[in-house]
Amino acid sequence: MAVEPGRIRLRGVSRHFRVIHDRNLTLKETMLRRRRTTATEKWALREVDLDVEPGQAIGIIGQNGSGKSTLLKMLAGIIPPQAGTVEIGGTVASMLELGAGFHPDFTGRENVYMNAAIHGLSEREVNDRFEEIVDFAELQEFIDMPVRTYSSGMSMRLAFSISSHVHPDVLLLDEVLAVGDEAFQRKCFGRIFEFRRTGGTLVFVSHDPASVERVCDRAVLLVDGRIVDDGSTADVLATYHRRLASDGRVDEPEDQAEDEDPRVWGNREVVIRNSRLIGNDGPTDRFMAGEPLTIEMEVEAVHPVQTPIFGISINSVDGPLFFGTNTRLDELEIPGIEKGAVVRFTIPSLPLHDGRFTVQMAVVSFDESVVYHWLDRWLEFSVFPKVTGIGPVDMSGGWTVNADEGAPGAWAASVSVGDPDDEL
Amino acid sequence: MTVGGFAAGRYVPLYRNLVRREVRQRYKGSALGVAWTLVTPAIMVAAYSLVFKFLLRIQIPHYALFLFVGLTVWTFFFGGAQMGASSLVSNASLVTKVSFPRQIVPLASMTGNAFTAGAMFVIALPLCVILTEGEWAPLVMLPLLIVLLGAFTVGFGLLLSAINVYFRDVEHILGAIGLPWIFVTPIFYSFSTVPGLTGDKEWVATLLHWCNPIAPFVIAIQDSLFWGEWPFWGDVLYSVVAAIVMLVVGMRVFRRLEREMAVEL
């Protein structure tokens, strides 16, 4: 193989899968149905050309089913391409699905040796790195206990630690950083940066744009098995978000209020028949930070009511309330509704930054003693960051540093983030 | 498509670890542990001795030992085939997530099984030397016969393991034919001692001898180990040919089916 260590070269790589509707075929079934197998061909990758230089960190992004995992498995040598060539120089370690091959009845120590052997390490190499692996995983006291007694976080930590001590030329990472607590995740990122500093090539697949941005200097965007964009991470992520925002139109079901849904209650004198979120390009559930967001409710009055109030609130998916208000608080007088109404609440520039959020909506009587219709956590939407930083709320600002003020070597620096003319 | 031009040596630790796991997994958490390796065949020997020796009156001296020798060969072969056949499916999580030569998995399973048969052999060998009246010289054939049996078993196991990925029935079919197969193999009897197989029924013995690919292996090993006689050249030749053919076929088929295994599992 003429490829230098750390280099990846893909030429015209294609792969499709036969999606058989009934898995686990038995011999008998195959004999009997020889001609009638209901299989559909699904392209996972089409004509993919990709070159990665040694030492580069490349992110592969794309929606579910876009071929990311297939590409990664191909790089790992698990799945062969049906056309084209895959060449990788040097040793490859993959962190696809951490802990593959952990055996619950064996101790952490035994599993370290087993797992390292899977990655191609010799016993000597494992001996040399054993302390380091255990220290990194913070499992000193537990290493001689069976893995089945570990919490899932503990086994993940151990698995990550082993894979990251393999020192390959090319490291393949798949969504693994969602493991462990915040502190351990930070350690993982530290480990990955160290790997990059020492000149390793990194291929990173993730749904989480923020972590791709943190780790990679280049990204490719896969859509339906083809590479549609390739460039700096920021550029490709921007393309990705634009695509998501325009693809993300939501199909509204006819009548959203289901009777048994625990998120819904009220006496239904007034019913919220339909509701949706509207962004710059119409209905969607994906927003860029800073975009306008409108919550729209179509309300039907089964019986005419006097002075109802409408309310909304936005929570993050894991619970905490970010904002809530209603028409009475905002002093909008609604004398009564005879038949129906369309109610909109518009946020001109969404001050959220990154994450998933839910919207709840309600119609209640003026003194809130009667709930007509309450839809709890009814709509969900994602916000994608426009500027640097992490967290759900956009509080981007500027930095200034004044060093050694008054002294001879004084210097000052400043940067501001999120200026309107400083778009991605 | 390959991953960094692997040297086979790189995977030796993986093989060793898989074997260790295979062996330890089998007896972990059981009170008798490795002793089960011998308890099970001991019970079988006792039960079959009762039936064949006392009820059916098979006339073989040291019948229990004769049986034990045959069961050792059978355990090595059939146990290996069974372990091998199911190995890839039961290690699917490994095969679908990591790249390595897949042969390692069935090989490790079969090696794990060989430990069981090996323990039986370690008991059988001195007993045969002490108790039976034959010569010692034919024992020199044993290493060759064991290598041939090993090659035949490995070939068969590789073949079944690869096919089993695509048709899970293989495992079950194998389980189902195990019992009839052991009965047509001269393990509980030898062809010359069964009344129904002499005289004008001799062709049945001939059929059972040569159409059952494992029978010549069993007979040759019984000859040199139990009877202390030089094995019949026909049995040895048959074993050589059968071992080579099975090994080549098994490896070929495995290599062909190997590429898409991760997709099928």
Side-chain angles (χ1 to χ4, degrees):
Chain A
M1 215 175 323
V3 186
E4 68 192 282
R7 183 181 292 281
I8 299 172
R9 187 190 291 154
L10 269 63
R11 288 288 175 272
V13 169
S14 298
R15 169 88 221 191
H16 58 80
F17 292 108
R18 220 184 302 152
V19 184
I20 300 168
H21 299 293
D22 181 19
R23 286 302 308 161
N24 217 350
L25 276 187
T26 61
L27 196 60
K28 181 181 145 211
E29 280 171 330
T30 315
M31 305 272 221
L32 292 178
R33 309 190 312 179
R34 199 181 298 153
R35 247 152 276 239
R36 286 179 292 143
T37 14
T38 45
T40 43
E41 299 280 321
K42 184 184 177 305
W43 286 92
L45 288 175
R46 294 191 197 200
E47 302 279 306
V48 171
D49 293 326
L50 182 67
D51 282 280
V52 184
E53 306 283 316
Q56 214 171 36
I58 185 167
I60 299 171
I61 50 183
Q63 283 173 284
N64 280 336
S66 59
K68 299 185 308 268
S69 304
T70 307
L71 181 55
L72 208 63
K73 283 194 164 182
M74 230 172 242
L75 292 173
I78 299 166
I79 293 177
Q82 280 154 334
T85 55
V86 177
E87 292 174 284
I88 301 186
T91 53
V92 182
S94 57
M95 282 197 223
L96 319 177
E97 317 243 359
L98 287 175
F102 267 4
H103 196 287
D105 283 339
F106 291 128
T107 66
R109 182 185 301 274
E110 290 162 329
N111 273 299
V112 167
Y113 279 87
M114 178 70 205
N115 224 271
I118 291 172
H119 286 297
L121 288 194
S122 72
E123 235 121 294
R124 270 247 324 277
E125 286 171 308
V126 189
N127 288 338
D128 292 345
R129 295 172 204 176
F130 189 80
E131 288 300 313
E132 243 181 285
I133 290 172
V134 176
D135 284 349
F136 185 86
E138 301 165 18
L139 288 172
Q140 291 87 344
E141 309 104 277
F142 305 104
I143 198 65
D144 287 310
M145 283 161 66
V147 166
R148 82 180 118 81
T149 65
Y150 287 18
S151 69
S152 58
M154 285 159 77
S155 36
M156 285 300 148
R157 259 150 51 197
L158 188 61
F160 181 90
S161 183
I162 298 165
S163 320
S164 71
H165 284 82
V166 175
H167 305 316
D169 295 311
V170 178
L171 181 63
L172 309 174
L173 278 176
D174 185 8
E175 299 286 0
V176 292
L177 298 168
V179 305
D181 52 26
E182 188 78 34
F184 190 72
Q185 278 191 29
R186 224 168 290 134
K187 258 174 96 174
C188 293
F189 275 111
R191 194 70 207 172
I192 290 167
F193 287 127
E194 202 183 308
F195 172 76
R196 292 211 46 203
R197 259 203 312 282
T198 55
T201 307
L202 182 75
V203 180
F204 184 35
V205 164
S206 180
H207 290 292
D208 174 21
S211 48
V212 174
E213 196 151 24
R214 248 167 114 177
V215 176
C216 303
D217 40 27
R218 178 185 162 197
V220 295
L221 174 58
L222 275 178
V223 174
D224 292 332
R226 295 177 200 274
I227 294 183
V228 298
D229 197 15
D230 182 351
S232 79
T233 310
D235 288 347
V236 175
L237 281 177
T239 314
Y240 178 58
H241 290 153
R242 263 201 307 280
R243 272 181 169 271
L244 281 185
S246 57
D247 287 353
R249 284 171 215 292
V250 189
D251 298 339
E252 302 110 302
E254 286 289 279
D255 186 350
Q256 292 180 327
E258 284 167 46
D259 284 336
E260 282 124 63
D261 196 316
R263 297 175 302 167
V264 183
W265 63 89
N267 70 5
R268 294 178 193 253
E269 279 181 73
V270 184
V271 179
I272 301 170
R273 280 282 172 228
N274 267 314
S275 59
R276 56 185 183 169
L277 300 173
I278 301 168
N280 260 340
D281 304 319
T284 179
D285 63 351
R286 295 167 161 122
F287 295 84
M288 293 288 284
E291 223 186 299
L293 180 153
T294 297
I295 301 165
E296 187 180 271
M297 301 177 250
E298 282 171 34
V299 178
E300 185 192 320
V302 181
H303 306 291
V305 291
Q306 302 298 308
T307 64
I309 59 178
F310 296 98
I312 59 99
S313 72
I314 293 178
N315 295 54
S316 75
V317 274
D318 43 351
L321 172 68
F322 278 78
F323 186 74
T325 187
N326 64 41
T327 48
R328 193 190 62 198
L329 288 172
D330 292 335
E331 295 183 349
L332 176 68
E333 273 181 46
I334 303 168
I337 293 177
E338 293 294 319
K339 286 218 171 84
V342 175
V343 181
R344 294 189 186 91
F345 179 77
T346 300
I347 303 164
S349 167
L350 196 60
L352 298 173
H353 179 67
D354 184 10
R356 277 191 76 65
F357 303 89
T358 61
V359 176
Q360 56 183 323
M361 292 161 288
V363 200
V364 299
S365 67
F366 195 77
D367 58 359
E368 295 183 39
S369 61
V370 182
V371 174
Y372 300 129
H373 204 192
W374 190 296
L375 301 177
D376 194 33
R377 287 156 208 272
W378 192 248
L379 300 173
E380 267 190 55
F381 65 97
S382 305
V383 177
F384 299 103
K386 193 176 67 173
V387 293
T388 49
I390 57 169
V393 181
D394 186 357
M395 299 191 197
S396 56
W399 295 89
T400 55
V401 178
N402 292 305
D404 304 322
E405 236 170 326
W411 56 269
S414 69
V415 63
S416 78
V417 178
D419 284 351
D421 45 358
D422 194 53
E423 295 268 74
L424 274 174
Chain B
M1 74 116 259
T2 72
V3 178
F6 57 79
R10 197 183 150 202
Y11 293 98
V12 172
L14 175 57
Y15 169 73
R16 205 179 312 140
N17 272 288
L18 275 173
V19 172
R20 198 174 303 158
R21 184 167 94 173
E22 196 74 50
V23 173
R24 297 201 37 198
Q25 175 170 291
R26 202 175 300 184
Y27 301 110
K28 200 144 194 162
S30 75
L32 279 181
V34 188
W36 279 114
T37 319
L38 298 172
V39 172
T40 319
I43 293 172
M44 278 176 82
V45 166
Y48 288 130
S49 294
L50 184 76
V51 174
F52 286 95
K53 183 165 183 169
F54 297 108
L55 300 181
L56 297 178
R57 309 226 169 244
I58 296 268
Q59 297 300 319
I60 294 175
H62 306 293
Y63 178 72
L65 185 57
F66 172 80
L67 194 54
F68 191 67
V69 169
L71 281 178
T72 305
V73 177
W74 183 256
T75 302
F76 182 88
F77 167 71
F78 196 74
Q82 274 186 310
M83 297 296 295
S86 58
S87 62
L88 283 166
V89 173
S90 52
N91 282 292
S93 68
L94 211 57
V95 175
T96 54
K97 274 149 210 159
V98 196
S99 150
F100 59 89
R102 275 73 173 87
Q103 288 88 342
I104 290 178
V105 172
L107 281 177
S109 288
M110 286 185 269
T111 312
N113 176 72
F115 275 92
T116 308
M120 291 168 72
F121 179 74
V122 167
I123 306 278
L125 181 64
L127 289 178
C128 287
V129 170
I130 297 164
L131 294 177
T132 61
E133 285 100 43
E135 296 172 59
W136 289 10
L139 287 174
V140 299
M141 289 298 287
L142 264 187
L144 171 71
L145 294 173
I146 290 171
V147 168
L148 291 175
L149 178 67
F152 185 77
T153 304
V154 164
F156 193 55
L158 283 176
L159 179 73
L160 295 183
S161 69
I163 298 175
N164 192 47
V165 171
Y166 298 85
F167 301 108
R168 305 283 160 95
D169 299 45
V170 170
E171 257 174 272
H172 304 293
I173 293 173
L174 194 63
I177 63 172
L179 199 59
W181 197 354
I182 195 175
F183 277 109
V184 297
T185 307
I187 287 172
F188 302 112
Y189 52 87
S190 66
F191 289 135
S192 55
T193 56
V194 179
L197 293 179
T198 48
D200 61 340
K201 289 285 171 55
E202 214 179 312
W203 62 273
V204 179
T206 314
L207 194 75
L208 289 177
H209 190 159
W210 301 111
C211 290
N212 174 6
I214 194 66
F217 289 92
V218 174
I219 293 168
I221 290 176
Q222 284 168 340
D223 283 345
S224 69
L225 180 60
F226 181 79
W227 298 111
E229 286 168 10
W230 293 99
F232 176 49
W233 64 268
D235 285 322
V236 178
L237 183 68
Y238 187 104
S239 301
V240 172
V241 174
I244 292 172
V245 168
M246 190 51 91
L247 192 60
V248 169
V249 168
M251 279 172 22
R252 282 268 170 84
V253 171
F254 196 94
R255 207 162 295 162
R256 270 197 76 153
L257 298 179
E258 184 184 8
R259 279 168 62 87
E260 294 289 315
M261 274 177 188
V263 182
E264 289 295 329
L265 278 173

